[in-house]
């Protein structure tokens, strides 16, 4: 069954979902961030079927998130490393880890980001890199509407607003 492509949608969230493809792709990227780069490591860590892994790795290479590099000629073997585009996915992955710890962690088994200098857990927060201020209700998502020459601002908080806008 062929999945619907979102690559032509104006929304970068939709195009990102399209680029990632599915959960296996996200988990493969996670393993590369952990330092696993070889086919057999992915199979071991993920329990993924070889044919599925082959397809997902090819897609991640085609989409520019991973680069396939030979590490053995006889027999021919390859490793998969992050491209700059793939490395740029790191904050997304860390945000997913943070959300997962809050809403999907096994009891008593969170995974933590640790400051290696202090040994303390890091508390993730989105900030405006230009000002250092935390992202909050004062920030809106600007989107060009499908309607001609119309720009919309969204709170991007999922809250239901009354008719007065409050």
């Amino acid at each position: 069954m062929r999945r619907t492509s979102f690559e032509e949608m104006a929304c970068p969230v939709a195009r990102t979902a399209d680029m990632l493809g599915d959960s296996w792709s996200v988990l493969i990227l996670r393993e590369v961030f952990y330092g696993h780069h070889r086919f057999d490591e992915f199979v071991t860590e993920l329990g993924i079927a070889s044919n599925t892994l082959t397809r997902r790795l090819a897609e991640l290479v085609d989409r520019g998130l991973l680069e396939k590099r030979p590490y053995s000629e006889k027999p021919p073997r390859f490793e998969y490393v992050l491209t700059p585009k793939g490395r740029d996915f790191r904050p997304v992955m860390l945000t997913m880890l943070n959300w997962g710890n809050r809403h999907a962690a096994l009891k008593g088994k969170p995974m933590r980001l640790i400051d290696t200098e202090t040994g303390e857990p890091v508390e993730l927060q989105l900030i405006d890199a230009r000002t250092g201020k935390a992202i909050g209700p004062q920030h809106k998502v600007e989107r060009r509407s499908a309607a001609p020459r119309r720009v919309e601002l969204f709170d991007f908080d999922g809250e239901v607003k009354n008719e007065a806008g409050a």
Side-chain angles (χ1 to χ4, degrees):
M1 178 156 96
R2 199 160 168 94
R3 66 181 180 83
T4 301
S5 173
F6 303 128
E7 69 183 337
E8 298 301 319
M9 283 187 150
C11 175
V13 174
R15 288 193 316 276
T16 300
D18 190 72
M19 185 176 295
L20 294 173
D22 67 10
S23 301
W24 282 123
S25 297
V26 173
L27 294 176
I28 291 165
L29 289 171
R30 179 199 68 187
E31 290 305 314
V32 178
F33 278 109
Y34 285 164
H36 299 124
H37 301 282
R38 298 182 178 175
F39 194 92
D40 59 327
E41 293 174 320
F42 299 132
V43 170
T44 300
E45 295 299 324
L46 297 172
I48 186 174
S50 294
N51 61 334
T52 301
L53 178 57
T54 298
R55 280 194 311 273
R56 296 306 180 274
L57 285 169
E59 289 170 358
L60 290 167
V61 169
D62 288 346
R63 292 174 180 150
L65 294 158
L66 294 179
E67 179 183 337
K68 183 178 179 179
R69 291 186 187 161
Y71 70 86
S72 172
E73 289 184 25
K74 292 184 182 182
R77 296 283 185 255
F78 299 90
E79 64 182 0
Y80 297 85
V81 297
L82 293 163
T83 62
K85 183 178 183 178
R87 281 190 297 279
D88 282 348
F89 193 67
R90 185 174 190 261
V92 177
M93 191 70 71
L94 291 172
T95 301
M96 290 174 69
L97 182 139
N98 190 56
W99 186 91
N101 275 336
R102 293 175 77 194
H103 302 287
L106 296 175
K107 286 198 183 265
K109 299 193 184 225
M111 296 182 66
R112 300 181 302 170
L113 180 63
I114 301 295
D115 181 323
T116 57
E117 291 179 10
T118 66
E120 294 295 318
V122 173
E123 291 188 36
L124 288 179
Q125 180 178 17
L126 293 176
I127 64 162
D128 178 341
R130 289 179 295 142
T131 65
K133 292 180 182 176
I135 300 297
Q138 74 277 18
H139 297 95
K140 310 283 186 221
V141 172
E142 180 182 272
R143 178 178 81 172
R144 301 230 182 295
S145 173
R149 290 183 267 173
R150 188 168 123 204
V151 175
E152 299 171 299
L153 288 177
F154 294 93
D155 289 338
F156 209 73
D157 62 4
E159 292 292 322
V160 175
K161 309 292 189 241
N162 66 28
E163 290 184 25

